[in-house]
Amino acid sequence: MSGPLRAVIADDQALVRTGFRMILAADGIEVAAEAANGAEAVAAVRRTRPDIVLMDIRMPEMDGLEATRRILAGGADETRVLILTTYDLDQYVYAALAAGASGFLLKDVTPEHLVAAVRLVRSGDALLAPTITRRLVERFAPRDEVKATVHRDLSGLTPRELEVLRLLATGLSNAELADRLTLSATTVKTHVARILSKLGLRDRVQAVVVAYETGLVSPGEGSG
């Protein structure tokens, strides 16, 4: 966590890359490399080992989804991926989250939000609210019972941890979890950290995905 924060920007539009570079640089965030497609993004991450990758989905040669899979499966444990997208919440965004991306940003994000999002994810948190993730998961998560059974074994979680995971997946924040379970915020954070550690997850976004895919939470549960 020491030293300047370093980023790679992957987008097939040069104007988008330039704009993001200027915004990040103005806040002291170093742009280690730019990439115009997924293959270049993978190579750039392997070469520079950045903290954050801003990853477009639709790019030529190799899209951002495949690039995300390769980056996060290739031993870049300290690198986090933020997906750049339009207002459409499509299956590609869900697939990227399931592959380990830490959230997504809309391409018309304000400069302040972009910088805050990058720093938030670098700190180890997930960018998007669980309620947004839930919308994606309910729309696109697979409904294969066999796959759900083997996808992730939840038996290592305590009853309290299962309860925290279920409530987290329905869209509750840490503060809301603490209020619902009559626990301190610190205790809730400890439970969430243990859940992520036991299940081998990068952040709470993946935890939401796992909760739905294993059937711990059903589509529509907790909506509203």
Side-chain angles (χ1 to χ4, degrees), residues 78-197:
E78 299 303 317
T79 299
R80 305 249 170 185
V81 176
L82 291 181
I83 299 300
L84 301 175
T85 185
T86 62
Y87 282 103
D88 297 324
L89 298 181
D90 60 24
Q91 68 269 28
Y92 300 108
V93 176
Y94 165 74
L97 296 178
S102 294
F104 68 84
L105 289 170
L106 299 177
K107 282 195 174 182
D108 63 351
V109 64
T110 65
E112 296 78 13
H113 188 187
L114 174 64
V115 170
V118 168
R119 294 195 179 282
L120 176 66
V121 170
R122 179 62 184 91
S123 71
D125 205 346
L127 171 62
L128 54 83
T131 49
I132 299 175
T133 313
R134 187 186 69 223
R135 288 169 56 197
L136 287 164
V137 175
E138 289 184 352
R139 190 177 303 179
F140 299 114
R143 298 287 179 255
D144 187 330
E145 292 298 328
V146 174
K147 181 178 179 180
T149 301
V150 301
H151 176 78
R152 192 79 62 169
D153 185 2
L154 301 182
S155 64
L157 301 183
T158 66
R160 174 64 92 183
E161 289 165 351
L162 283 171
E163 184 178 20
V164 169
L165 177 57
R166 183 181 62 79
L167 293 175
L168 182 156
T170 63
L172 297 187
S173 65
N174 280 357
E176 291 168 332
L177 282 168
D179 183 64
R180 176 73 65 89
L181 299 173
T182 319
L183 299 172
S184 69
T186 300
T187 300
V188 168
K189 289 181 180 179
T190 299
H191 282 310
V192 173
R194 287 175 178 168
I195 290 167
L196 300 183
S197 177

Side-chain angles (χ1 to χ4, degrees), residues 13 20 24 30 63 116 180 189:
Q13 298 182 46
F20 282 175
L24 296 179
E30 176 188 347
D63 65 20
R180 176 73 65 89
K189 289 181 180 179

